Amino acid sequence: MNKRFIATLLALPLAVSSAFAQDAGASPTVKISGFGTGALTWTNSDDAEFARPNQASGVRKDPRSGVDSNLGLQASVEINNWLSGTVQGLVRKDAEEGYGADLSWAFAKMKVSDRFSVRVGRMGLPVFMISDYRNVGYANTMVRPPAEVYSQVPFDTIDGIDGTFQHSIGDTTITTQLALGKTRPALGPALHLETDLLTALNLVAEHGPLTVRLGHARAKVSIDDSVSLNTLLSSLRSAGAGYRIAQLAPLADALSVNKKQTSFSSAGAILDWNNVLVQTEYAKRKTDSYINDTSSWYLMAGYRIGKFLPYASHASLKRDGIVANTVPAACPAGYPAACTPTLQALSAGVTRLSTTGAQGQQQTDTIGVRWDFHRSAALKVQIDRVKPQHGQGLFLVPAASFTGPVTVGAVAVDFVF
């Protein structure tokens, strides 16, 4: 998104504040805040690129700043005791090469009562434990959220409406959030995932040092502008009709992403008790397309020693199911000579579709330490040992011989202002 447009949107709360002050003699409260991360990331291999979910490119042996660095600016205005507005812009490397600016939040919030509020606009999609602050490095213990879990939903905003109801039962506070809307995130240059009828339910219970969360999201998803996917599906249908191979057209229908039902269910917990910190999430994704059904989880534990917080984690991502590759290995005798090579190429394309990109399986072991050297800044050093399973995992542009594992290092300074 154009950076000048982002700056204009960030100035809107100031304009709204001024208008209300002039028209109603009011004094709306305007707050400007921000966050960022400056990081260097590297690996011990030139055979593949390590990247965050939905980044177009990553890093090899030479240290790069683009993987884990970002900068966010937020403007909020309290118009009166029941109406407020928030706009947040974020600069980072994402689905296109180079740094780009995104409008991550832009919503109006109406406080209906002390317990119930409604937001309209663009908001964070509530599908993870740390959905509202996943991009704020200072608010998180690790350098980045575990990709094994957080890669399974390739977008983090929703355009629509949500309602939040909060109430207490004894010493336990329960928050229920329901979001309805749609989104069209970029998955790459000229490649988008379109969602319709996106619904997300988020339940959070807080009791002293313990927070527990349950969530479920559903949507109809489409990918219409993928040249490689459209070419493969067209070729399957053409070969099925031309060579009279009945199973190829149904296979194309099963692989296609055209208003296909998708669901994502997750559960998580955070225990922040005295010096002990434990955080975990478990998630399952199910789809009716070539996008794999998956199970993923991670467990992180740390212990505070003064201003230092050493931590360790383990994360895992595995495929639960893929669309069966029903392309025959060869054509029957008497078929044209081009038939068998065509089927072999189509079979390879179907296999590649379900095993590359964000479709991989992997596990990661992590150790790190966080040092809160300033009241609004922290230094982190983290080492990950990433082990792809049965392919390239979540790595990008792998060499033909790549199997892993890969060691990833990062040094980051997180700050808020």
Side-chain angles (χ1 to χ4, degrees):
M1 184 172 289
N2 185 275
K3 295 179 183 178
R4 184 176 297 176
F5 181 51
I6 292 287
T8 302
L9 288 170
L10 289 169
L12 282 178
L14 299 175
V16 173
S17 171
S18 176
F20 268 80
Q22 293 175 7
D23 294 345
S27 300
T29 302
V30 178
K31 180 181 179 182
I32 304 295
S33 60
F35 59 89
T37 296
L40 283 178
T41 310
W42 66 92
T43 78
N44 69 338
S45 174
D46 280 330
D47 290 337
E49 294 183 3
F50 173 82
R52 286 196 180 208
N54 212 33
Q55 287 185 331
S57 62
V59 64
R60 299 178 187 258
K61 282 187 176 181
D62 293 335
R64 300 290 179 93
S65 61
V67 172
D68 292 310
S69 299
N70 67 13
L71 180 64
L73 184 63
Q74 180 172 307
S76 302
V77 56
E78 296 286 342
I79 298 172
N80 52 42
N81 62 357
W82 63 270
L83 181 62
S84 63
T86 300
V87 176
Q88 183 185 99
L90 181 64
V91 177
R92 61 180 174 177
K93 289 192 69 175
D94 212 331
E96 297 185 7
E97 291 290 347
Y99 284 90
D102 294 321
L103 179 64
S104 49
W105 291 356
F107 60 81
K109 180 178 179 180
M110 290 148 280
K111 184 179 178 181
V112 180
S113 69
D114 289 340
R115 294 184 176 183
F116 182 61
S117 62
V118 175
R119 299 186 299 177
V120 178
R122 174 169 292 181
M123 301 149 292
L125 180 67
V127 293
F128 294 114
M129 193 82 202
I130 58 173
S131 288
D132 279 345
Y133 53 94
R134 64 188 291 183
N135 295 312
V136 185
Y138 183 80
N140 294 291
T141 301
M142 294 184 283
V143 169
R144 70 190 74 85
E148 285 78 3
V149 173
Y150 281 72
S151 65
Q152 300 311 289
V153 178
F155 52 91
D156 51 16
T157 62
I158 180 173
D159 297 331
I161 182 171
D162 78 356
T164 301
F165 180 74
Q166 189 174 79
H167 67 288
S168 298
I169 302 176
D171 295 331
T172 303
T173 300
I174 298 176
T175 302
T176 303
Q177 180 184 8
L178 178 64
L180 305 170
K182 62 181 182 178
T183 188
R184 191 173 183 267
L187 302 180
L191 178 62
H192 299 83
L193 176 72
E194 188 164 351
T195 69
D196 292 313
L197 305 175
L198 175 56
T199 305
L201 177 64
N202 190 43
L203 303 174
V204 178
E206 299 171 271
H207 183 89
L210 179 64
T211 300
V212 177
R213 176 195 166 274
L214 296 173
H216 181 73
R218 302 181 69 85
K220 296 282 190 179
V221 301
S222 300
I223 300 177
D224 298 325
D225 51 5
S226 171
V227 174
S228 59
L229 176 60
N230 291 339
T231 300
L232 176 62
L233 300 183
S234 176
S235 298
L236 284 168
R237 294 186 175 105
S238 296
Y243 294 124
R244 297 186 181 88
I245 302 175
Q247 65 264 42
L248 296 189
L251 175 59
D253 294 339
L255 293 170
S256 70
V257 190
N258 183 15
K259 298 189 181 302
K260 292 293 188 70
Q261 185 66 54
T262 302
S263 68
F264 185 78
S265 303
S266 58
I270 297 176
L271 176 66
D272 194 345
W273 178 65
N274 294 331
N275 293 325
V276 175
L277 178 64
V278 179
Q279 180 173 317
T280 185
E281 287 184 83
Y282 176 82
K284 289 187 75 70
R285 182 181 70 188
K286 295 184 178 181
T287 77
D288 293 332
S289 69
Y290 83 87
I291 302 171
N292 296 333
D293 295 345
T294 61
S295 294
S296 57
W297 65 274
Y298 73 88
L299 173 64
M300 185 274 295
Y303 189 86
R304 293 187 184 88
I305 305 171
K307 294 185 178 181
F308 292 89
L309 174 58
Y311 58 87
S313 76
H314 177 78
S316 176
L317 166 63
K318 72 180 185 71
R319 289 194 298 263
D320 294 330
I322 63 175
V323 175
N325 188 343
T326 58
V327 180
C331 294
Y335 273 58
C339 180
T340 293
T342 297
L343 294 185
Q344 291 172 343
L346 291 174
S347 180
V350 171
T351 299
R352 187 164 52 249
L353 195 63
S354 62
T355 57
T356 60
Q359 298 277 70
Q361 304 179 92
Q362 69 178 38
Q363 295 184 359
T364 299
D365 293 309
T366 298
I367 58 171
V369 62
R370 170 180 172 141
W371 174 32
D372 286 275
F373 65 90
H374 188 271
R375 65 181 181 180
S376 57
L379 171 67
K380 299 174 186 175
V381 178
Q382 181 169 305
I383 300 295
D384 302 284
R385 187 65 168 171
V386 187
K387 294 166 282 189
Q389 309 287 313
H390 311 296
Q392 71 185 66
L394 299 178
F395 286 90
L396 304 179
V397 225
S401 59
F402 174 73
T403 58
V406 174
T407 299
V408 181
V411 176
V413 175
D414 299 320
F415 56 90
V416 293
F417 58 89

